Structures are given as structure tokens and as C-alpha cells.
Amino acid sequence: MHPVLFQIGGFSLRSYGLMAAIGFLLAAWLIGRTRKYAAMSADQASASLFVAMIAGIVGARIFYVVQFFHQYRDHLWRIIRIDQGGLVFYGGFLLAIASLWVFARRQKLDIVRILDAYTPAIALAHACGRIGCFLNGCCYGKPTELFWGVRYPAGSEAALRYPGAALHPVQLYEAGGQFLLMFFYLYLLRRAPRGVAMSCYLIFYGTFRFLNELLRGDNPKVFELFTPAQLIGLAVIPTGVLLLVYFLRHGHKKA
């Protein structure tokens, strides 16, 4: 756990903020390579990335603050400290999609192809973000007897909740899964009909996140059954399946 990588005077470089920045830069680079699939110019790709980034950060932060408002009730100024962690992926994902939809309509572009082109980049950026979570010590797992279990330093939230226990490195599970799926999505862009990549993303991410949440040790449960992320996953997975069936049948048609 290394939430602060180094500090010089009053400046501190936080691992979560660094990994988020790396994830954004890598995503921007990858979108630059997939933009032609969506018939986007370099300027359109840059503009869409800026729109999606701002919307994604705002949406992810709103979802986190709403879910864990007790942490900010007495320190409202901390809401803007995203460099310290505290982003909910689904919130950012949903608001980013909405912003890209508006962008596509204004630019007269195919939103489905844009989302396809973004799919590998989202997976890569998400993998970097989860590594940031691991270094930051947030989004930790439940106790495990497996040899790769990790122990958090005394005083951290994870150590206070599970004293002396080794925990599942769920952040790294998700990071590794997203990194491998990135290559699969790149393959789909070359071989599969329009819309298949984004549909598979919904299916795989929803399923993986639902299962990964079973090992999470920090998220609250709704009615003692599922975490908020699992409930969203239960809606995302069938949506992805329906879209996949549709685009496998009609994806070759022009928008």
C-alpha cells in the first residue's frame, strides 16, 4: 500500500492520481489507433475523449459520494479530492456514454461505432485505475487463506476492518481481467460486426464485476443481498446479451 509515492515540500504525488493519469494517456493513445473504425477525425477523437473524460470523472465521483456520503458529511471539501481515490466505475461509465451519445448526434457520427472504438481503451484505463486502487488501499477484498493474499498496514481501513487477515487482491483480479479483455475487444473490432465489441463489454464486465464483488470486503449490501455494483450488473448483463443478439443479426447494416 503506497497511497503517496513521494512528497517534496507541500507537493505529494499520490499513486491513485498517477495511475488514473496513466490510464487516461494510454486510453487516449489507443483511441487514436481505433478512431478510424468510427470514422472519426483526429480532432473529433480528441474532442470526444475530453467530453468522455470529464463526464466519466464527474459521474464516477457522484456515485461514490452518494454511496459513501458518511465519509464526507463533515468534510464536504474532500468531495473534490479525487486524487485520493473514491470513484465508482458504473457512475462514470453511464454518464460518459450519455455524453458521447450527445457528441455523436452533434457530429453526425455513429454512436455504436464510437462505443465499439472506445471499448478496448475503457478496459485498459480501467485496469490502470484498479492498480491505483491497490496502491491506494481502497476497494479491498475479503480475508483469504490463499498464498497471494495481501496484508494492509496497521491503521489502514482494510486492517482496521480485518485485523491481521490476508485479503483477496480483488483490485488486481479486476486489473488483470480488464487488461486481457482489451486484446479480445481489439480482435472484435477487426473481425466482428458493428456493435459486438460494446455488447461483449457489457456482458463480460457485468459478469466479472458481479463475481468479483463476492470477494470485496468494503462495499455495503442492499437488503443484505447484493452490493450496488452487483445490482447494476444484473441489469447490464442481460442488456449486453440482447444487444449482442441484435448486432450479430444486424450489425453489418449501415447506421
Side-chain angles (χ1 to χ4, degrees):
M1 181 176 172
H2 302 281
V4 178
L5 295 177
F6 66 83
Q7 187 167 352
I8 302 176
F11 172 77
S12 60
L13 180 63
R14 301 190 67 91
S15 55
Y16 187 90
L18 176 63
M19 292 308 303
I22 291 174
F24 171 76
L25 292 175
L26 290 176
W29 170 78
L30 193 53
I31 289 170
R33 298 179 66 88
T34 61
R35 65 177 176 81
K36 292 183 179 179
Y37 172 89
M40 287 193 293
S41 67
D43 288 342
Q44 287 175 323
S46 298
S48 73
L49 184 65
F50 178 77
V51 168
M53 178 191 70
I54 298 301
I57 292 174
V58 172
R61 190 58 169 174
I62 289 174
F63 266 57
Y64 184 87
V65 171
V66 170
Q67 188 173 335
F68 298 99
F69 186 70
H70 62 279
Q71 298 179 8
Y72 302 93
R73 184 180 293 110
D74 300 323
H75 307 281
L76 294 179
W77 62 271
R78 291 176 54 200
I79 291 176
I80 64 174
R81 293 300 306 272
I82 61 173
D83 60 311
Q84 297 180 1
L87 300 175
V88 174
F89 174 76
Y90 276 129
F93 180 71
L94 294 174
L95 194 57
I97 287 180
S99 69
L100 286 174
W101 181 79
V102 173
F103 175 85
R105 284 181 63 87
R106 291 183 175 179
Q107 296 291 321
K108 295 181 172 56
L109 295 169
D110 183 353
I111 182 58
V112 174
R113 285 192 172 273
I114 289 178
L115 294 179
D116 276 342
Y118 262 75
T119 294
I122 293 173
L124 179 57
H126 198 129
C128 293
R130 282 308 187 200
I131 293 174
C133 290
F134 180 74
L135 295 173
N136 192 51
C138 58
C139 307
Y140 49 85
K142 292 179 178 178
T144 179
E145 298 296 329
L146 297 172
F147 70 89
W148 59 73
V150 295
R151 286 182 170 82
Y152 288 83
S156 64
E157 180 184 339
L160 292 174
R161 188 162 188 173
Y162 300 107
L167 308 182
H168 280 284
V170 289
Q171 312 96 320
L172 299 184
Y173 296 165
E174 195 164 350
Q178 289 299 314
F179 183 73
L180 292 176
L181 283 171
M182 174 194 67
F183 294 102
F184 176 64
Y185 300 139
L186 287 171
Y187 171 80
L188 292 180
L189 289 186
R190 295 192 301 268
R191 301 293 184 182
R194 163 183 172 272
V196 169
M198 75 164 197
S199 301
C200 287
Y201 179 88
L202 294 176
I203 296 169
F204 286 125
Y205 182 75
T207 302
F208 192 88
R209 183 63 184 271
F210 184 91
L211 296 175
N212 205 38
E213 286 286 309
L214 297 175
L215 303 177
R216 285 280 290 268
D218 64 325
N219 277 346
K221 290 188 176 182
V222 179
F223 306 121
E224 299 299 323
L225 294 175
F226 302 113
T227 67
Q230 286 178 312
L231 291 177
I232 297 175
L234 290 175
V236 166
I237 296 168
T239 299
V241 171
L242 291 175
L243 288 173
L244 178 61
V245 172
Y246 174 83
F247 285 117
L248 285 174
R249 293 180 177 178
H250 307 288
H252 289 293
K253 296 181 180 179
K254 293 184 178 180

